[in-house]
Amino acid sequence: MKEKIVFVTGANKGIGYGIAKHLGLSGWQVIIGARDEQRAEKAVSELKSAGVDVLGWVSLELRDLASIEEAAKVINEKFADITLLVNNAGIPGDMSVNSEHTELSDIKETLNVNFIGTFALTKALIPLLTKNKGRIVNVTVPSEISPYWHPLAYVASKAAQNAMMGVMAIEFQQSNTPLEIFSVHPGPTTTDLNGNMALPGFHDIETVGQKMAELIDDGQNHQGEFIELYPIVKE
């Protein structure tokens, strides 16, 4: 039987924690990606208490290419049987301003983490995941612009990430690479990223984590798909 080992980035809190927990409860062995040692250790301890088999945590700072390189090296050396990468980590950018008032520095930083960092990590782990006939799942938002919620830096960074997913999916198919990539939009979720916003139509981390785990475990091929768990609706 194929190993079920997952590396979830940004898994010390929020949606990443929920995904790690519910994949763990459904039989996956979990590796946590996090920037902060204290928060990572706390998450590992809480996940273990919940009955999750946590193999360990890997230090990862997506804005730092050297950190990404080191994380990929650690995974190749210590967790060479990994079969799933969940690209969840990201930053919100400044969600309080319209595009006209968005600082260029904010656009650069958000793209740097959410797109360039995510691409660099994915690229670094593709050889290992291909060898293990694995999967890559990106946690993202639609590229189509919602009239109700459209922070430029964040949406632009995720649109670039969605393009990456689409291009890679086609290339994997064309080259018969035994690797699957798809994207999931969890929908409005109450997390730190949005200041723990809890409006009608919002879901909690537990609900989203469980639904994500069910999707990943459904046995279907989702190559190149963009799947919405809960669409963005009018507040």
Side-chain angles (χ1 to χ4, degrees):
M1 200 174 92
K2 196 161 82 163
E3 295 281 350
K4 288 175 67 171
I5 299 174
V6 58
F7 179 46
V8 185
T9 68
N12 59 287
K13 62 176 185 176
I15 290 172
Y17 180 86
I19 293 168
K21 178 180 173 182
H22 287 279
L23 281 174
L25 294 176
S26 75
W28 286 80
Q29 294 180 295
V30 176
I31 309 153
I32 300 293
R35 292 186 294 186
D36 180 278
E37 183 176 2
Q38 215 175 346
R39 290 205 295 257
E41 294 288 6
K42 182 173 181 281
V44 168
S45 154
E46 286 171 2
L47 286 167
K48 284 183 172 174
S49 299
V52 174
D53 183 0
V54 186
L55 298 180
W57 77 278
V58 174
S59 177
L60 177 68
E61 171 55 84
L62 283 177
R63 75 190 77 214
D64 177 0
L65 294 176
S67 166
I68 293 167
E69 209 172 289
E70 183 57 32
K73 186 165 167 273
V74 168
I75 289 167
N76 270 277
E77 286 170 3
K78 289 178 67 178
F79 309 110
D81 291 329
I82 178 179
T83 48
L84 175 61
L85 165 64
V86 178
N87 283 317
N88 161 77
I91 59 170
D94 186 349
M95 293 189 169
S96 69
V97 291
N98 64 11
S99 52
E100 184 193 346
H101 296 99
T102 300
E103 297 288 344
L104 272 177
S105 56
D106 189 45
I107 295 276
K108 280 182 177 172
E109 187 187 23
T110 311
L111 275 167
N112 205 15
V113 172
N114 297 358
F115 172 56
I116 294 169
T118 298
F119 171 69
L121 178 67
T122 304
K123 178 177 156 67
L125 291 178
I126 279 176
L128 186 58
L129 288 162
T130 301
K131 184 166 76 78
N132 296 336
K133 298 182 170 60
R135 287 181 289 169
I136 300 158
V137 178
N138 295 338
V139 179
T140 183
V141 298
S143 298
E144 296 78 32
I145 309 305
S146 160
Y148 312 116
W149 182 83
H150 40 251
L152 180 62
Y154 187 75
V155 172
S157 70
K158 290 297 190 174
Q161 200 187 94
N162 295 343
M164 171 192 104
M165 184 279 292
V167 169
M168 283 184 173
I170 285 173
E171 289 171 347
F172 295 159
Q173 283 175 304
Q174 289 174 339
S175 60
N176 291 317
T177 302
L179 191 53
E180 182 188 338
I181 184 168
F182 63 97
S183 294
V184 181
H185 173 222
T189 310
T190 303
T191 68
D192 286 2
L193 188 125
N194 52 33
N196 293 308
M197 195 182 280
L199 297 166
F202 273 62
H203 295 86
D204 61 22
I205 287 157
E206 288 291 320
T207 306
V208 166
Q210 187 174 355
K211 202 153 179 175
M212 278 283 287
E214 286 167 5
L215 174 65
I216 287 165
D217 286 330
D218 71 4
Q220 306 296 309
N221 184 302
H222 295 292
Q223 185 76 280
E225 290 181 15
F226 180 94
I227 298 162
E228 288 201 275
L229 298 185
Y230 299 105
I232 297 170
V233 292
K234 188 174 181 180
E235 291 169 14

